[in-house]
Amino acid sequence: MLGIRDKRLVALRGDPKHPTTKGLVCAKSLFLPKIVHAPDRLKHPMIRKNGKFVRASWDEAMQLVGEKFAESIKKHGPDSVAYYGSGQALSEESYLANRIFKGGIGTNNVEGNPRLCMASAVGGYVSTFGKDEPMGCYDDIDHAKVFFLVGSNTAECHPVIFDQILARKEAHNDVLVIVCDPRKSPVTSIADIHLDPVPGFDLAVFHAMAHVIIKEKKHDPDFIAKQCQFKIVENGKPKKVSFEDYVKFLDQYSPAQAELISGVPAEKIEEAARLFANGPTMTFWTMGLNQRTRGVWANNLMHNLHLITGQIGKPGMTPFSLTGQPNACGGVRDTGSLCHILPYGRVVKKAKHRKEMEKIWGSKPGTIQPKPGKNTIEMFRALGRNEIKAMLILTTNPGQSLPNLSRYRDAMGKERSGKPFIVVLDIFPTRTTELADVILPAAMWSEKSGVFGMSERRYQYQPALVTPPGESRSDLDVLLDFAKQMEDRGVMPRGYVSSKLKNSDDVWNEMRLASKNTAYDFMGMTRERLKKERGIRWPAPTVDHPGTARRFVKGEDPILDHGPYADNSLNEGDIKFYAAKDYRATVWLRPALGPAEPADKEYPYILSTGRVLEHWHTGTMTMRAPELKRAYPEAYVEIHPADAKKLGLRNRDMVRITSRRGEALIQARITTMPREGMVFVPWCWDDTNSLINRVTIDAYDPGSKQPEFKICAVKLAKA
Ligand SMILES: Nc1nc2c(c(=O)[nH]1)N[C@H]1C(S)=C(S)[C@@H](COP(=O)(O)OP(=O)(O)OC[C@H]3O[C@@H](n4cnc5c(=O)[nH]c(N)nc54)[C@H](O)[C@@H]3O)O[C@H]1N2
Ligand SMILES: Nc1nc2c(c(=O)[nH]1)N[C@H]1C(S)=C(S)[C@@H](COP(=O)(O)OP(=O)(O)OC[C@H]3O[C@@H](n4cnc5c(=O)[nH]c(N)nc54)[C@H](O)[C@@H]3O)O[C@H]1N2
Ligand SMILES: [Mo]
């Protein structure tokens, strides 16, 4: 709830009537008035001329953008251009960009930072349940007795959820918390059990928990018989196996064996397994699982535990992937704004799906390409080879947030013949805008209206209440202009966008149509309704539909617990994985492989990167609130005292962190938070010495294409 005076934001507090936040907000948001009104907001378009940025009019800037994109498309084909978007853009913005590039220009080179964030969670949901569809909801927090927090610093990164878990634990002494994280992050302060695997080696722990659960007969044989199937990949192909085969497979992952692999004591694994099975258990996981070359597999193993104990679809029992960015789910995942997907559960590979979208979009038949475009890392690699010649970047800061960063900063910005043309829309000068050819000033949150979608499938409308500074404009308006440029220059059919979509409301109405007859169906979420209600969870196919709390089930509440696509023949409490083959979810037999670059003799430490409470990612916003900046004035690397001793390091010594790709120079902070052999660096500082992504690895999960930000090998030396 915002306090506005003269169209300026002056105060902010939580909305006590909001069904999910219940009035809580995180510390960062309290400083939004200072961030929104920071004096150095971008205010005018700028064009690089002879190496210097000069102010330009919107018309001049957009003409140049249009000319460069059209020239590239005409000379080198649609795949010579690309869009790189964000889970922080509004849903209408992502949807429109996707529509322009895939259905108008005809390239699937549409990606966004959720590839760095949520891709493995999506891969996990799809491979286990047949659909990317979080089936639980935040209400489950009020029913769970066991919280399994895996690779999730919920306390600092989802403080509103963490406070709710904490409150529940304080009110009920039988509520227990299991944490799985190699670092003693603040969540461990409420942990009843802390499993601390060597980074990248926790798959064995999850298997060992399953091993214990089955051995002690704490599994749910009925649920398994009715709802599950078992699969293993052999010679690159999935093969059906039996429950008995699964049990045999788990033999190699006894707790003792898992201890050897992961370093987690066997008794702790046993204890965790028993608590998990007792339940009702809600599992939350975040980047500690997703940002891994085995991210999808790690997600599958999480789901396995819920499936074999039948803890799914019932109040307080659900595997719940915590989304990172506010609109990674509703914006990028649901609208299909990644290189292989199309809106609302469709994929580019299926002719039927392409046809459906071409019809809704009014594309020329055959415009949407059947082959997936380039994933994020491959897209920036292609940029480095001058294969992609023009890129539009919006609401993300890849000049700081990509792994193996120097390579991709060069790809974007290094002067060379044939250097690609880079357009960046942002609200502040960043480590990406400095590499751009054209910088466009954007309106931000509270200055523009649209919908965002949360992890529990809730779509919520936010209105424009504040005047954007200078000449800055909403991303949606800029995309509409960009579309007009493409139409006028003959690289998109005339009227493809301009004759149909004039504003964000028009885009939303088309999105509702695109969701019709899909599992997402939100035809009932009219703009009018969204303006009145505090968000609605899809599916909500009719205007009088209240939205759907839990997927796949027929539960206690005849409406809330019974989405329109669950089968009407279900009995109460029944579950149907309607999107999966034979309606059975898959328990996967995945080998417990480790990370792409484990520690070795030459690079003996594991570098992990992550977040702190007060800062948001690249710090462009939070570093502009003096109070937040003061909380962390400079970069630091957490080093375990035993390692510091070996290295002769003392607190505040400068440390050179070197990997096979690059180095950073950062102050030592000696603490028992990381596991021995592991160092941890928050990545929110933007000065060149602290740019830790120059050190991280760009190896990615072969399934989800998500890079392994959480693990790479480094050496450390006093600088
Ligand atoms: N304050 C704040 N909040 C944020 C953000 C922010 O920038 N600042 N960003 C948002 C976004 S987009 C995201 S994606 C989320 C991220 O939220 P989180 O994933 O919770 O945060 P991270 O710090 O990236 O990583 C979480 C933990 O993963 C652990 N980890 C590392 N390796 C492993 C491993 O091998 N196994 C296991 N089990 N754990 C491991 C790390 O030790 C770390 O404590 O936060 C969101 N919320
Ligand atoms: N080492 C390391 N790197 C990581 C990660 C990690 O854990 N470790 N995590 C990865 C993950 S999970 C994520 S999600 C990414 C995030 O990486 P980024 O998306 O690159 O990081 P942000 O700082 O959130 O960038 C958002 C940008 O959008 C701008 N902005 C804000 N609002 C608006 C708006 O309304 N319009 C426009 N046009 N711009 C706006 C902000 O100023 C900022 O520059 O980073 C990834 N990189
Ligand atoms: Mo993220």
Side-chain angles (χ1 to χ4, degrees):
M1 301 179 77
L2 311 187
I4 309 278
R5 190 185 297 142
D6 303 330
K7 294 232 163 193
R8 277 175 76 86
L9 178 59
V10 290
L12 179 149
R13 67 179 167 87
D15 173 2
K17 288 196 192 137
H18 197 280
T20 62
T21 67
K22 298 170 181 158
L24 299 172
V25 291
C26 74
K28 300 185 297 305
S29 62
L30 297 174
F31 297 94
L32 270 160
K34 290 193 180 172
I35 295 166
V36 170
H37 299 299
D40 64 338
R41 282 281 300 273
L42 293 174
K43 296 182 190 72
H44 312 281
M46 282 187 290
I47 293 177
R48 186 193 293 276
K49 283 184 183 156
N50 301 322
K52 281 216 173 85
F53 285 113
V54 292
R55 186 170 161 179
S57 69
W58 270 104
D59 186 51
E60 190 189 350
M62 290 312 290
Q63 290 289 349
L64 177 65
V65 172
E67 181 192 313
K68 291 288 185 179
F69 271 76
E71 180 188 278
S72 179
I73 296 164
K74 283 179 188 160
K75 264 202 205 150
H76 308 284
D79 285 339
S80 69
V81 301
Y83 170 79
Y84 186 62
S86 170
Q88 294 167 71
L90 291 169
S91 303
E92 293 87 344
E93 294 163 356
S94 295
Y95 176 90
L96 178 60
N98 198 27
R99 186 190 200 273
I100 293 170
F101 280 78
K102 287 190 189 139
I105 294 171
T107 177
N108 289 335
N109 287 337
V110 172
E111 277 281 292
N113 58 13
R115 183 69 76 186
L116 313 177
C117 178
M118 299 301 300
S120 298
V122 175
Y125 279 123
V126 172
S127 49
T128 299
F129 302 104
K131 265 227 174 328
D132 176 27
E133 206 170 285
M135 65 290 285
C137 59
Y138 289 130
D139 309 21
D140 285 313
I141 295 174
D142 300 332
H143 302 277
K145 287 207 170 149
V146 177
F147 293 95
F148 190 24
L149 308 178
V150 189
S152 173
N153 182 358
T154 331
E156 293 190 84
C157 297
H158 293 89
V160 170
I161 308 278
F162 185 76
D163 283 356
Q164 293 178 14
I165 297 173
L166 185 64
R168 185 155 166 79
K169 191 166 163 59
E170 279 173 352
H172 305 268
N173 49 21
D174 57 344
V175 168
L176 300 167
V177 175
I178 312 168
V179 170
C180 176
D181 193 313
R183 180 171 169 256
K184 282 192 209 72
S185 84
V187 289
T188 55
S189 66
I190 65 158
D192 296 281
I193 303 177
H194 177 203
L195 313 169
D196 60 337
V198 176
F201 288 94
D202 48 9
L203 274 69
V205 175
F206 309 138
H207 276 321
M209 286 173 69
H211 177 109
V212 174
I213 287 168
I214 294 172
K215 200 150 200 191
E216 300 189 356
K217 301 207 168 11
K218 292 186 188 307
H219 59 298
D220 182 340
D222 284 350
F223 187 90
I224 293 173
K226 268 207 236 150
Q227 315 285 0
C228 301
Q229 55 184 325
F230 297 82
K231 283 189 194 162
I232 190 164
V233 175
E234 269 178 14
N235 307 318
K237 285 216 177 83
K239 186 183 123 187
K240 257 192 174 173
V241 295
S242 65
F243 174 68
E244 289 67 35
D245 293 328
Y246 175 56
V247 176
K248 222 181 285 153
F249 169 88
L250 291 177
D251 268 349
Q252 58 191 309
Y253 300 111
S254 66
Q257 208 49 43
E259 174 171 345
L260 288 179
I261 300 171
S262 68
V264 180
E267 320 80 72
K268 282 198 182 178
I269 299 176
E270 285 167 4
E271 215 184 321
R274 288 174 197 135
L275 292 188
F276 183 100
N278 282 350
T281 300
M282 192 169 184
T283 301
F284 284 117
W285 68 96
T286 321
M287 291 312 121
L289 275 204
N290 292 346
Q291 290 174 339
R292 307 261 300 272
T293 48
R294 307 289 166 206
V296 175
W297 295 5
N299 272 263
N300 290 145
L301 302 195
M302 219 70 294
H303 296 311
N304 282 0
L305 292 172
H306 280 271
L307 288 170
I308 62 169
T309 55
Q311 297 199 69
I312 216 157
K314 296 167 203 139
M317 305 184 188
T318 194
F320 194 112
S321 145
L322 276 178
T323 310
Q325 300 174 89
N327 203 21
C329 276
V332 171
R333 277 158 77 175
D334 297 357
T335 68
S337 305
L338 292 172
C339 69
H340 60 304
I341 49 179
L342 290 168
Y344 310 115
R346 299 174 177 94
V347 291
V348 299
K349 276 188 185 154
K350 287 200 179 152
K352 180 171 168 279
H353 291 176
R354 293 197 302 277
K355 267 205 192 116
E356 285 169 8
M357 285 321 301
E358 283 171 350
K359 195 161 165 233
I360 293 163
W361 285 342
S363 309
K364 257 200 302 216
T367 307
I368 303 176
Q369 296 305 300
K371 209 178 134 218
K374 291 193 157 58
N375 68 62
T376 294
I377 293 295
E378 293 306 331
M379 202 151 127
F380 282 90
R381 286 180 184 166
L383 203 63
R385 296 190 300 267
N386 296 359
E387 246 169 70
I388 288 179
K389 294 173 186 299
M391 188 188 262
L392 177 60
I393 298 173
L394 176 154
T395 320
T396 178
N397 186 4
Q400 185 172 343
S401 59
L402 290 173
N404 190 9
L405 185 63
S406 302
R407 176 171 178 183
Y408 304 115
R409 285 184 60 82
D410 283 353
M412 282 183 270
K414 193 169 179 183
E415 277 312 322
R416 59 192 188 267
S417 95
K419 179 193 146 337
F421 178 77
I422 308 286
V423 184
V424 181
L425 265 133
D426 207 294
I427 56 174
F428 288 116
T430 70
R431 296 304 308 254
T432 307
T433 58
E434 71 187 11
L435 306 171
D437 296 282
V438 174
I439 305 173
L440 301 172
M444 72 178 290
W445 169 89
S446 80
E447 299 166 346
K448 59 181 183 180
S449 58
V451 171
F452 70 101
M454 308 172 204
S455 306
E456 59 160 8
R457 293 171 279 103
R458 182 185 300 273
Y459 286 173
Q460 181 159 334
Y461 177 79
Q462 55 187 44
L465 299 166
V466 173
T467 313
E471 295 172 10
S472 56
R473 302 170 64 204
S474 80
D475 296 88
L476 191 106
D477 284 343
V478 178
L479 286 166
L480 288 172
D481 259 22
F482 177 79
K484 191 76 178 46
Q485 285 287 338
M486 296 299 97
E487 290 178 11
D488 290 350
R489 292 170 192 273
V491 288
M492 219 162 72
R494 191 159 286 282
Y496 171 68
V497 170
S498 64
S499 70
K500 288 196 192 151
L501 308 173
K502 307 262 185 263
N503 55 42
S504 163
D505 292 354
D506 295 345
V507 179
W508 178 253
N509 286 329
E510 189 182 284
M511 293 162 75
R512 285 169 52 222
L513 277 177
S515 78
K516 210 176 153 180
N517 300 327
T518 73
Y520 295 71
D521 201 330
F522 56 91
M523 266 309 279
M525 292 194 208
T526 59
R527 231 18 179 211
E528 294 69 41
R529 207 180 149 193
L530 281 175
K531 281 179 189 172
K532 278 189 234 132
E533 295 180 39
R534 287 168 160 86
I536 305 165
R537 290 176 283 210
W538 59 261
T542 54
V543 282
D544 53 1
H545 193 289
T548 306
R550 294 190 186 85
R551 301 294 282 145
F552 302 141
V553 286
K554 187 158 174 183
E556 283 158 26
D557 187 316
I559 299 169
L560 280 181
D561 283 347
H562 188 193
Y565 291 92
D567 194 316
N568 283 323
S569 67
L570 288 183
N571 293 315
E572 182 162 326
D574 274 2
I575 189 157
K576 181 170 181 178
F577 296 113
Y578 65 83
K581 188 140 196 293
D582 306 325
Y583 306 129
R584 285 166 181 273
T586 302
V587 173
W588 284 100
L589 285 61
R590 304 287 198 194
L593 298 186
E597 194 183 64
D600 57 24
K601 265 214 179 105
E602 203 185 341
Y603 296 91
Y605 293 92
I606 287 297
L607 166 72
S608 200
T609 57
R611 293 159 172 80
V612 293
L613 180 76
E614 287 84 351
H615 288 295
W616 180 259
H617 297 157
T618 65
T620 61
M621 296 179 275
T622 46
M623 289 289 179
R624 282 178 168 82
E627 295 83 349
L628 295 175
K629 185 164 180 152
R630 267 202 301 277
Y632 289 102
E634 53 207 322
Y636 61 84
V637 45
E638 293 177 359
I639 303 177
H640 192 276
D643 293 326
K645 203 167 161 203
K646 272 185 247 163
L647 292 158
L649 285 171
R650 289 199 299 193
N651 247 336
R652 302 181 71 84
D653 278 349
M654 287 305 284
V655 186
R656 190 178 303 278
I657 307 174
T658 313
S659 73
R660 291 183 173 85
R661 295 153 296 279
E663 62 171 39
L665 261 178
I666 297 180
Q667 248 187 37
R669 174 180 285 194
I670 295 164
T671 152
T672 52
M673 283 179 74
R675 203 180 205 290
E676 216 178 309
M678 169 192 189
V679 297
F680 178 84
V681 180
W683 60 284
C684 50
W685 293 276
D686 69 353
D687 62 290
T688 299
N689 277 342
S690 319
L691 275 185
I692 194 65
N693 270 330
R694 295 186 301 154
V695 181
T696 53
I697 192 167
D698 53 352
Y700 59 76
D701 182 307
S704 68
K705 328 287 185 209
Q706 180 164 350
E708 192 148 62
F709 284 111
K710 285 290 175 270
I711 301 148
C712 75
V714 293
K715 52 189 169 192
L716 305 172
K718 193 168 160 175

